[in-house]
mmCIF file of all heavy atoms in Angstrom:
data_model
loop_
_atom_site.group_PDB
_atom_site.id
_atom_site.type_symbol
_atom_site.label_atom_id
_atom_site.label_comp_id
_atom_site.label_asym_id
_atom_site.label_seq_id
_atom_site.Cartn_x
_atom_site.Cartn_y
_atom_site.Cartn_z
ATOM 1 N N HIS A 35 24.004 18.272 -21.701
ATOM 2 C CA HIS A 35 25.042 17.854 -22.654
ATOM 3 C C HIS A 35 24.460 16.942 -23.731
ATOM 4 O O HIS A 35 24.866 16.967 -24.885
ATOM 5 C CB HIS A 35 26.174 17.137 -21.913
ATOM 6 C CG HIS A 35 27.234 16.605 -22.811
ATOM 7 N ND1 HIS A 35 28.114 17.426 -23.496
ATOM 8 C CD2 HIS A 35 27.568 15.338 -23.172
ATOM 9 C CE1 HIS A 35 28.936 16.692 -24.226
ATOM 10 N NE2 HIS A 35 28.625 15.416 -24.047
ATOM 11 N N ARG A 36 23.518 16.136 -23.341
ATOM 12 C CA ARG A 36 22.907 15.196 -24.281
ATOM 13 C C ARG A 36 21.734 15.800 -25.043
ATOM 14 O O ARG A 36 21.055 15.108 -25.799
ATOM 15 C CB ARG A 36 22.426 13.961 -23.529
ATOM 16 C CG ARG A 36 23.570 13.168 -22.936
ATOM 17 C CD ARG A 36 23.060 11.994 -22.139
ATOM 18 N NE ARG A 36 24.159 11.297 -21.477
ATOM 19 C CZ ARG A 36 24.007 10.330 -20.596
ATOM 20 N NH1 ARG A 36 22.776 9.942 -20.269
ATOM 21 N NH2 ARG A 36 25.047 9.733 -20.050
ATOM 22 N N LEU A 147 24.634 16.305 -36.411
ATOM 23 C CA LEU A 147 24.952 15.358 -35.340
ATOM 24 C C LEU A 147 25.227 13.960 -35.888
ATOM 25 O O LEU A 147 26.114 13.255 -35.421
ATOM 26 C CB LEU A 147 23.804 15.298 -34.329
ATOM 27 C CG LEU A 147 23.714 16.503 -33.397
ATOM 28 C CD1 LEU A 147 22.413 16.471 -32.613
ATOM 29 C CD2 LEU A 147 24.900 16.523 -32.451
ATOM 30 N N ILE A 148 24.461 13.589 -36.898
ATOM 31 C CA ILE A 148 24.606 12.237 -37.442
ATOM 32 C C ILE A 148 25.854 12.124 -38.318
ATOM 33 O O ILE A 148 26.646 11.195 -38.167
ATOM 34 C CB ILE A 148 23.339 11.842 -38.242
ATOM 35 C CG1 ILE A 148 22.171 11.652 -37.268
ATOM 36 C CG2 ILE A 148 23.573 10.564 -39.042
ATOM 37 C CD1 ILE A 148 20.825 11.498 -37.939
ATOM 38 N N ALA A 149 26.026 13.113 -39.197
ATOM 39 C CA ALA A 149 27.141 13.030 -40.145
ATOM 40 C C ALA A 149 28.478 13.396 -39.492
ATOM 41 O O ALA A 149 29.426 12.603 -39.528
ATOM 42 C CB ALA A 149 26.865 13.931 -41.342
ATOM 43 N N GLU A 150 28.542 14.576 -38.883
ATOM 44 C CA GLU A 150 29.819 15.048 -38.343
ATOM 45 C C GLU A 150 30.175 14.346 -37.039
ATOM 46 O O GLU A 150 31.279 13.860 -36.853
ATOM 47 C CB GLU A 150 29.766 16.554 -38.090
ATOM 48 C CG GLU A 150 29.180 17.406 -39.218
ATOM 49 C CD GLU A 150 30.018 17.361 -40.477
ATOM 50 O OE1 GLU A 150 31.247 17.416 -40.356
ATOM 51 O OE2 GLU A 150 29.423 17.254 -41.574
ATOM 52 N N GLN A 151 29.208 14.319 -36.134
ATOM 53 C CA GLN A 151 29.485 13.776 -34.797
ATOM 54 C C GLN A 151 29.397 12.264 -34.763
ATOM 55 O O GLN A 151 29.753 11.639 -33.780
ATOM 56 C CB GLN A 151 28.498 14.355 -33.780
ATOM 57 C CG GLN A 151 28.586 15.859 -33.621
ATOM 58 C CD GLN A 151 29.795 16.276 -32.828
ATOM 59 O OE1 GLN A 151 30.234 15.535 -31.951
ATOM 60 N NE2 GLN A 151 30.361 17.415 -33.156
ATOM 61 N N ARG A 152 28.879 11.672 -35.815
ATOM 62 C CA ARG A 152 28.714 10.221 -35.898
ATOM 63 C C ARG A 152 27.872 9.683 -34.738
ATOM 64 O O ARG A 152 28.154 8.622 -34.174
ATOM 65 C CB ARG A 152 30.070 9.503 -35.952
ATOM 66 C CG ARG A 152 31.003 10.128 -36.964
ATOM 67 C CD ARG A 152 31.846 9.187 -37.819
ATOM 68 N NE ARG A 152 32.192 7.898 -37.258
ATOM 69 C CZ ARG A 152 31.682 6.731 -37.704
ATOM 70 N NH1 ARG A 152 30.812 6.736 -38.693
ATOM 71 N NH2 ARG A 152 32.061 5.597 -37.174
ATOM 72 N N LEU A 153 26.849 10.448 -34.384
ATOM 73 C CA LEU A 153 25.940 10.020 -33.322
ATOM 74 C C LEU A 153 24.864 9.121 -33.935
ATOM 75 O O LEU A 153 24.209 9.516 -34.899
ATOM 76 C CB LEU A 153 25.303 11.267 -32.698
ATOM 77 C CG LEU A 153 24.540 11.108 -31.385
ATOM 78 C CD1 LEU A 153 25.432 10.589 -30.284
ATOM 79 C CD2 LEU A 153 23.953 12.455 -30.968
ATOM 80 N N PRO A 154 24.691 7.903 -33.424
ATOM 81 C CA PRO A 154 23.684 6.986 -33.981
ATOM 82 C C PRO A 154 22.272 7.580 -33.866
ATOM 83 O O PRO A 154 21.935 8.189 -32.849
ATOM 84 C CB PRO A 154 23.810 5.746 -33.103
ATOM 85 C CG PRO A 154 25.141 5.830 -32.484
ATOM 86 C CD PRO A 154 25.431 7.273 -32.320
ATOM 87 N N PHE A 157 19.828 7.656 -30.747
ATOM 88 C CA PHE A 157 19.911 8.630 -29.658
ATOM 89 C C PHE A 157 19.143 9.909 -29.978
ATOM 90 O O PHE A 157 19.121 10.835 -29.185
ATOM 91 C CB PHE A 157 21.371 8.981 -29.366
ATOM 92 C CG PHE A 157 22.120 7.877 -28.678
ATOM 93 C CD1 PHE A 157 23.161 7.219 -29.313
ATOM 94 C CD2 PHE A 157 21.776 7.485 -27.394
ATOM 95 C CE1 PHE A 157 23.841 6.196 -28.676
ATOM 96 C CE2 PHE A 157 22.448 6.470 -26.755
ATOM 97 C CZ PHE A 157 23.492 5.810 -27.400
ATOM 98 N N PHE B 202 28.738 -1.041 -22.088
ATOM 99 C CA PHE B 202 28.609 -0.021 -23.125
ATOM 100 C C PHE B 202 29.394 -0.472 -24.355
ATOM 101 O O PHE B 202 30.574 -0.828 -24.247
ATOM 102 C CB PHE B 202 29.135 1.314 -22.599
ATOM 103 C CG PHE B 202 28.841 2.480 -23.490
ATOM 104 C CD1 PHE B 202 27.583 3.087 -23.464
ATOM 105 C CD2 PHE B 202 29.799 2.975 -24.369
ATOM 106 C CE1 PHE B 202 27.306 4.164 -24.286
ATOM 107 C CE2 PHE B 202 29.522 4.046 -25.195
ATOM 108 C CZ PHE B 202 28.279 4.641 -25.159
ATOM 109 N N ALA B 204 31.758 -1.181 -27.288
ATOM 110 C CA ALA B 204 33.120 -0.699 -27.537
ATOM 111 C C ALA B 204 33.168 0.209 -28.756
ATOM 112 O O ALA B 204 33.885 1.211 -28.787
ATOM 113 C CB ALA B 204 34.060 -1.887 -27.735
ATOM 114 N N GLU B 205 32.382 -0.121 -29.750
ATOM 115 C CA GLU B 205 32.406 0.643 -30.998
ATOM 116 C C GLU B 205 32.017 2.101 -30.779
ATOM 117 O O GLU B 205 32.466 2.983 -31.496
ATOM 118 C CB GLU B 205 31.431 -0.007 -31.988
ATOM 119 C CG GLU B 205 31.783 0.261 -33.443
ATOM 120 C CD GLU B 205 30.784 -0.402 -34.375
ATOM 121 O OE1 GLU B 205 30.444 -1.580 -34.138
ATOM 122 O OE2 GLU B 205 30.324 0.262 -35.321
ATOM 123 N N TRP B 206 31.149 2.311 -29.792
ATOM 124 C CA TRP B 206 30.689 3.673 -29.524
ATOM 125 C C TRP B 206 31.704 4.466 -28.698
ATOM 126 O O TRP B 206 31.773 5.687 -28.791
ATOM 127 C CB TRP B 206 29.327 3.633 -28.800
ATOM 128 C CG TRP B 206 28.167 3.380 -29.723
ATOM 129 C CD1 TRP B 206 28.187 3.423 -31.080
ATOM 130 C CD2 TRP B 206 26.828 3.055 -29.341
ATOM 131 N NE1 TRP B 206 26.943 3.132 -31.583
ATOM 132 C CE2 TRP B 206 26.072 2.905 -30.532
ATOM 133 C CE3 TRP B 206 26.181 2.872 -28.120
ATOM 134 C CZ2 TRP B 206 24.720 2.581 -30.544
ATOM 135 C CZ3 TRP B 206 24.832 2.565 -28.131
ATOM 136 C CH2 TRP B 206 24.104 2.412 -29.334
ATOM 137 N N MET B 207 32.443 3.726 -27.846
ATOM 138 C CA MET B 207 33.420 4.360 -26.956
ATOM 139 C C MET B 207 34.334 5.320 -27.701
ATOM 140 O O MET B 207 34.704 6.372 -27.176
ATOM 141 C CB MET B 207 34.318 3.290 -26.317
ATOM 142 C CG MET B 207 33.707 2.534 -25.178
ATOM 143 S SD MET B 207 33.496 3.530 -23.706
ATOM 144 C CE MET B 207 33.473 2.201 -22.482
ATOM 145 N N GLU B 208 34.685 4.931 -28.909
ATOM 146 C CA GLU B 208 35.665 5.700 -29.672
ATOM 147 C C GLU B 208 35.146 7.059 -30.129
ATOM 148 O O GLU B 208 35.914 8.001 -30.258
ATOM 149 C CB GLU B 208 36.115 4.896 -30.902
ATOM 150 C CG GLU B 208 36.747 3.562 -30.537
ATOM 151 C CD GLU B 208 37.797 3.722 -29.445
ATOM 152 O OE1 GLU B 208 38.674 4.595 -29.590
ATOM 153 O OE2 GLU B 208 37.716 2.998 -28.419
ATOM 154 N N ARG B 209 33.861 7.123 -30.390
ATOM 155 C CA ARG B 209 33.301 8.365 -30.919
ATOM 156 C C ARG B 209 33.442 9.517 -29.924
ATOM 157 O O ARG B 209 33.383 9.335 -28.697
ATOM 158 C CB ARG B 209 31.800 8.182 -31.250
ATOM 159 C CG ARG B 209 31.416 6.824 -31.788
ATOM 160 C CD ARG B 209 31.539 6.761 -33.278
ATOM 161 N NE ARG B 209 30.235 6.651 -33.938
ATOM 162 C CZ ARG B 209 29.738 5.514 -34.466
ATOM 163 N NH1 ARG B 209 30.417 4.387 -34.415
ATOM 164 N NH2 ARG B 209 28.569 5.517 -35.070
ATOM 165 N N GLY B 210 33.590 10.705 -30.470
ATOM 166 C CA GLY B 210 33.808 11.880 -29.643
ATOM 167 C C GLY B 210 32.728 12.110 -28.606
ATOM 168 O O GLY B 210 33.011 12.356 -27.434
ATOM 169 N N TRP B 211 31.463 11.984 -28.987
ATOM 170 C CA TRP B 211 30.367 12.275 -28.075
ATOM 171 C C TRP B 211 30.386 11.378 -26.848
ATOM 172 O O TRP B 211 30.044 11.786 -25.751
ATOM 173 C CB TRP B 211 29.010 12.169 -28.788
ATOM 174 C CG TRP B 211 28.781 10.863 -29.506
ATOM 175 C CD1 TRP B 211 29.046 10.607 -30.815
ATOM 176 C CD2 TRP B 211 28.266 9.668 -28.953
ATOM 177 N NE1 TRP B 211 28.721 9.310 -31.119
ATOM 178 C CE2 TRP B 211 28.236 8.705 -29.995
ATOM 179 C CE3 TRP B 211 27.814 9.285 -27.687
ATOM 180 C CZ2 TRP B 211 27.789 7.389 -29.800
ATOM 181 C CZ3 TRP B 211 27.365 7.984 -27.494
ATOM 182 C CH2 TRP B 211 27.359 7.060 -28.552
ATOM 183 N N ALA B 212 30.808 10.118 -27.053
ATOM 184 C CA ALA B 212 30.851 9.192 -25.919
ATOM 185 C C ALA B 212 31.940 9.607 -24.930
ATOM 186 O O ALA B 212 31.759 9.540 -23.717
ATOM 187 C CB ALA B 212 31.105 7.774 -26.402
ATOM 188 N N LYS B 213 33.048 10.101 -25.455
ATOM 189 C CA LYS B 213 34.149 10.518 -24.584
ATOM 190 C C LYS B 213 33.758 11.736 -23.749
ATOM 191 O O LYS B 213 33.947 11.738 -22.538
ATOM 192 C CB LYS B 213 35.384 10.832 -25.428
ATOM 193 C CG LYS B 213 36.079 9.574 -25.945
ATOM 194 C CD LYS B 213 37.342 9.960 -26.690
ATOM 195 C CE LYS B 213 37.779 8.825 -27.611
ATOM 196 N NZ LYS B 213 38.716 9.283 -28.658
ATOM 197 N N THR B 214 33.229 12.761 -24.415
ATOM 198 C CA THR B 214 32.836 13.948 -23.644
ATOM 199 C C THR B 214 31.742 13.595 -22.644
ATOM 200 O O THR B 214 31.668 14.149 -21.555
ATOM 201 C CB THR B 214 32.338 15.084 -24.555
ATOM 202 O OG1 THR B 214 31.230 14.598 -25.330
ATOM 203 C CG2 THR B 214 33.421 15.554 -25.491
ATOM 204 N N ASP B 215 30.924 12.627 -23.006
ATOM 205 C CA ASP B 215 29.864 12.199 -22.104
ATOM 206 C C ASP B 215 30.454 11.602 -20.828
ATOM 207 O O ASP B 215 30.035 11.928 -19.720
ATOM 208 C CB ASP B 215 28.977 11.170 -22.804
ATOM 209 C CG ASP B 215 27.611 11.071 -22.174
ATOM 210 O OD1 ASP B 215 27.481 10.352 -21.151
ATOM 211 O OD2 ASP B 215 26.684 11.722 -22.673
ATOM 212 N N ARG B 216 31.429 10.742 -21.012
ATOM 213 C CA ARG B 216 32.116 10.150 -19.841
ATOM 214 C C ARG B 216 32.765 11.244 -18.997
ATOM 215 O O ARG B 216 32.728 11.219 -17.775
ATOM 216 C CB ARG B 216 33.208 9.170 -20.303
ATOM 217 C CG ARG B 216 32.729 7.960 -21.074
ATOM 218 C CD ARG B 216 32.348 6.840 -20.138
ATOM 219 N NE ARG B 216 31.054 6.293 -20.582
ATOM 220 C CZ ARG B 216 30.501 5.204 -20.085
ATOM 221 N NH1 ARG B 216 31.081 4.517 -19.110
ATOM 222 N NH2 ARG B 216 29.342 4.791 -20.511
ATOM 223 N N ALA B 217 33.362 12.207 -19.707
ATOM 224 C CA ALA B 217 34.071 13.282 -19.015
ATOM 225 C C ALA B 217 33.136 14.113 -18.131
ATOM 226 O O ALA B 217 33.555 14.716 -17.144
ATOM 227 C CB ALA B 217 34.755 14.194 -20.021
ATOM 228 N N MET B 218 31.864 14.120 -18.478
ATOM 229 C CA MET B 218 30.852 14.843 -17.710
ATOM 230 C C MET B 218 30.684 14.260 -16.317
ATOM 231 O O MET B 218 30.186 14.901 -15.418
ATOM 232 C CB MET B 218 29.466 14.702 -18.391
ATOM 233 C CG MET B 218 29.286 15.454 -19.679
ATOM 234 S SD MET B 218 28.637 17.081 -19.409
ATOM 235 C CE MET B 218 30.128 18.039 -19.621
#
Side-chain angles (χ1 to χ4, degrees):
Chain A
H35 177 70
R36 294 177 185 172
L147 285 170
I148 290 170
E150 314 295 318
Q151 298 285 329
R152 312 221 332 110
L153 192 61
F157 287 114
Chain B
F202 190 81
E205 206 180 315
W206 281 348
M207 282 290 204
E208 300 312 310
R209 324 271 249 256
W211 53 267
K213 285 184 200 162
T214 58
D215 202 277
R216 297 273 134 172
M218 289 269 103

